Amino acid sequence: MRIALLEDEHEQAQRVQMVLGERGHHCDSFPTGQAFLSAVLHRSYDLLILDWQIPDMTGIDVLENVRGQLNWSIPVVFLTQRDSEQDIVRALDAGADDFLAKPARAAELVARINALARRSNPDADKEVLYYGPFEVNTQQRTIALHGEELTLTDKDFDLTLFLFQNQGRLLTREMLLERVWGLTRDINTRTVDTHMSRLRRRLGLNPENGFRIKTIYQRGYRLEAINPADAEVIEEPLNPSQAANG
């Protein structure tokens, strides 16, 4: 998994990164809440670990930003010296999924993280996934709509599966480039726009089939599940200049 760690104590951050790295996870560490939130907004992570007491804000503030502004259900673990019942209840009420007191035992930390990963992605080991009228075969790497197999490239399949697995979540262009194309350097993100436009047509990602790709101007995309009976067909332009050019 890709994990983001909020920890201002350098030695503690290194220890957590080492423990997670030895178990095959990739962990990025950030010493401030602002740096952490900026990274989480523009990169793709599978799980977050938060300290409570950090220089520029509290871990609760960071958690509320994640749950409120980013609007996605990524697993969040608190790892902090604060371990009173009141603190634990406050963190869980704010949207944390688990709570560990420092210093956490390495085996327990990894076990808690692995358990959260299984709960957050229960379909990880399934060969065939169903999203409304879409049938996704992860082994054969095929997608069918209403029983008819669609003609897709490998990249189209990867992008579509990532969209379905992250329904309702804002996905920035940088995040998509990183997780689907494996690119982390700054390049022209028009590649993402081109693929999104093509997927709308090839997959029929429209209200009639229960989904639409919503363009979030200057930020990215969000796949939304909608009720075909109640929705209007909305094909949003990628940006104002493209809309003007038809």
Side-chain angles (χ1 to χ4, degrees):
M1 289 190 298
R2 291 181 57 83
I3 298 172
L5 168 67
L6 176 60
E7 174 58 70
D8 63 318
E9 296 180 8
H10 182 66
E11 291 185 1
Q12 173 71 7
Q14 283 190 318
R15 176 179 177 272
V16 173
Q17 287 180 298
M18 181 184 68
V19 168
L20 297 178
E22 289 175 347
R23 272 69 172 188
H25 301 300
H26 175 85
C27 180
D28 293 330
S29 176
F30 305 92
T32 67
Q34 289 296 338
F36 181 89
L37 288 172
S38 177
V40 168
L41 178 63
H42 293 97
R43 305 179 195 173
S44 180
Y45 292 102
D46 304 303
L47 184 140
L48 310 180
I49 302 176
L50 305 180
D51 192 5
W52 190 304
Q53 296 168 298
I54 48 177
D56 55 341
M57 61 181 74
T58 69
I60 294 292
D61 293 331
V62 173
L63 176 58
E64 290 175 345
N65 269 276
V66 168
R67 294 297 190 226
Q69 295 187 25
L70 302 183
N71 190 29
W72 43 286
S73 56
I74 187 170
V76 177
V77 180
F78 261 92
L79 180 59
T80 175
Q81 291 179 339
R82 299 180 62 147
D83 60 354
S84 70
E85 181 180 5
Q86 181 179 0
D87 291 333
I88 296 172
V89 170
R90 185 180 176 191
L92 295 176
D93 284 346
D97 297 282
D98 206 344
F99 196 103
L100 284 169
K102 292 180 182 178
R105 291 170 292 189
E108 182 180 5
L109 174 62
V110 173
R112 297 282 190 100
I113 286 174
N114 290 341
L116 283 175
R118 289 192 298 271
R119 292 203 296 270
S120 66
N121 189 15
D123 295 331
D125 297 326
K126 293 183 179 179
E127 180 177 343
V128 181
L129 306 172
Y130 296 94
Y131 303 96
F134 294 91
E135 178 182 317
V136 181
N137 190 307
T138 59
Q139 297 300 313
Q140 299 179 11
R141 293 178 60 80
T142 60
I143 298 176
L145 173 60
H146 299 296
E148 295 290 331
E149 187 173 321
L150 302 172
T151 301
L152 301 173
T153 66
D154 284 344
K155 200 59 65 181
D156 288 339
F157 177 88
D158 293 336
L159 180 56
T160 303
L161 180 58
F162 191 67
L163 287 171
F164 277 134
Q165 290 176 331
N166 290 276
Q167 291 178 51
R169 174 182 175 185
L170 170 62
L171 302 174
T172 66
R173 291 172 177 84
E174 293 80 4
M175 185 184 298
L176 291 166
L177 283 170
E178 179 181 346
R179 292 303 289 264
V180 177
W181 278 265
L183 302 173
T184 57
R185 62 186 185 279
D186 293 331
I187 66 169
N188 190 339
T189 58
R190 189 177 179 83
T191 296
V192 176
D193 296 336
T194 301
H195 274 76
M196 284 296 189
S197 180
R198 187 168 64 213
L199 280 184
R200 281 190 174 108
R201 298 190 304 270
R202 287 188 174 180
L203 273 80
L205 289 173
N206 54 49
E208 287 85 349
N209 292 320
F211 293 94
R212 76 171 172 216
I213 298 177
K214 184 176 179 63
T215 303
I216 311 300
Y217 181 54
Q218 292 187 334
R219 299 191 67 187
Y221 299 91
R222 182 168 59 235
L223 180 66
E224 299 179 340
I226 54 181
N227 186 338
D230 300 334
E232 297 179 358
V233 177
I234 300 176
E235 180 76 10
E236 299 191 20
L238 297 178
N239 57 51
S241 63
Q242 289 178 317
N245 294 330

